[in-house]
Amino acid sequence: MTPSHSRATLFPTPRGSTGPDRGDGITGVTLPDAATRGNDSVRWASTGWDHPDALALRTRMDVELRPRYAPFDAERAGRRPGPPAAEEIVVTWVAYEGGVPLATASLRLLHEAGAEDRYEVKRVYVHEEHRGRGLARAALDAVEDSARALGVARLSLQTGRLQPEAMGLYERQGWHRVACYPPYDTDPFSVCYGKHL
């Protein structure tokens, strides 16, 4: 059975206790696990897809990845899905240090016509100046814990075949390659993964 999605149930925090509300609609938490060990100054906050800090990080991600895929624009024309709609996003996590946004990842509820709803990880990104600190693993942990809190048993995600560092991360974290699912099954550069929680 697919868990029902309700923003009213958001959100038990991942591997930590809820901190004070910052007054901007996001709540701070700490993730005290191996992925954030040595990052005691990092604070994770749950927010919406359209929060300016999450948007700024995703914009950096787009700028960074654009040159990799630009040579293949003609091959991919009309075959790439658009970005998620804000109402599809269950939660977006942002990591902060001293008020500076460092990393982000989101949990999306993807409705497929004639199929069971699918929960997927979207837009895992760490600012280039803060890589090597375990923040990508911590971002995945945050999204996975959010999914578990909703009773989700299996997660999916999509990345691109020109992102070997992303594929390596997912495989190290227990994700397994699966057949590409809609809306990514028409994009020849898509690589999809699944994970049982």
Side-chain angles (χ1 to χ4, degrees):
M1 173 179 275
T2 300
S4 61
H5 166 56
S6 169
R7 291 190 187 278
T9 64
L10 295 182
F11 223 106
T13 59
R15 301 183 193 173
S17 57
T18 303
D21 190 304
R22 298 180 354 155
D24 58 3
I26 62 180
T27 303
V29 300
T30 302
L31 299 177
D33 71 349
T36 56
R37 195 168 291 137
N39 289 325
D40 294 340
S41 60
V42 174
R43 186 172 155 273
W44 286 85
S46 61
T47 186
W49 177 254
D50 292 329
H51 189 278
D53 294 336
L55 180 59
L57 287 166
R58 292 196 310 271
T59 299
R60 290 187 77 92
M61 181 181 190
D62 291 339
V63 168
E64 182 177 330
L65 292 177
R66 178 79 184 113
R68 298 189 196 188
Y69 291 96
F72 307 101
D73 282 350
E75 185 178 345
R76 301 178 79 200
R79 302 172 80 178
R80 293 179 56 209
E87 59 270 15
E88 296 175 323
I89 301 300
V90 179
V91 64
T92 293
W93 289 100
V94 178
Y96 290 92
E97 186 172 53
V100 176
L102 312 179
T104 188
S106 297
L107 176 65
R108 178 191 195 187
L109 174 56
L110 180 62
H111 297 290
E112 295 181 46
E116 188 173 329
D117 289 339
R118 182 185 300 271
Y119 283 83
E120 68 171 355
V121 177
K122 292 299 296 180
R123 305 305 295 269
V124 178
Y125 180 73
V126 178
H127 189 291
E128 64 272 14
E129 294 177 6
H130 299 280
R131 292 176 186 161
R133 301 175 60 186
L135 294 172
R137 293 190 308 273
L140 282 172
D141 286 346
V143 174
E144 290 175 19
D145 285 350
S146 297
R148 286 187 192 95
L150 292 174
V152 175
R154 180 173 174 79
L155 279 175
S156 301
L157 63 79
Q158 178 267 351
T159 188
R161 65 178 170 93
L162 300 183
Q163 295 162 250
E165 61 283 284
M167 291 188 286
L169 167 70
Y170 301 138
E171 290 166 11
R172 287 191 302 274
Q173 295 305 113
W175 292 78
H176 303 282
R177 291 276 295 264
V178 297
C180 283
Y181 52 90
Y184 312 110
D185 53 345
T186 60
D187 181 358
F189 285 79
S190 283
V191 178
C192 292
Y193 286 87
K195 184 174 183 179
H196 290 285
L197 301 178

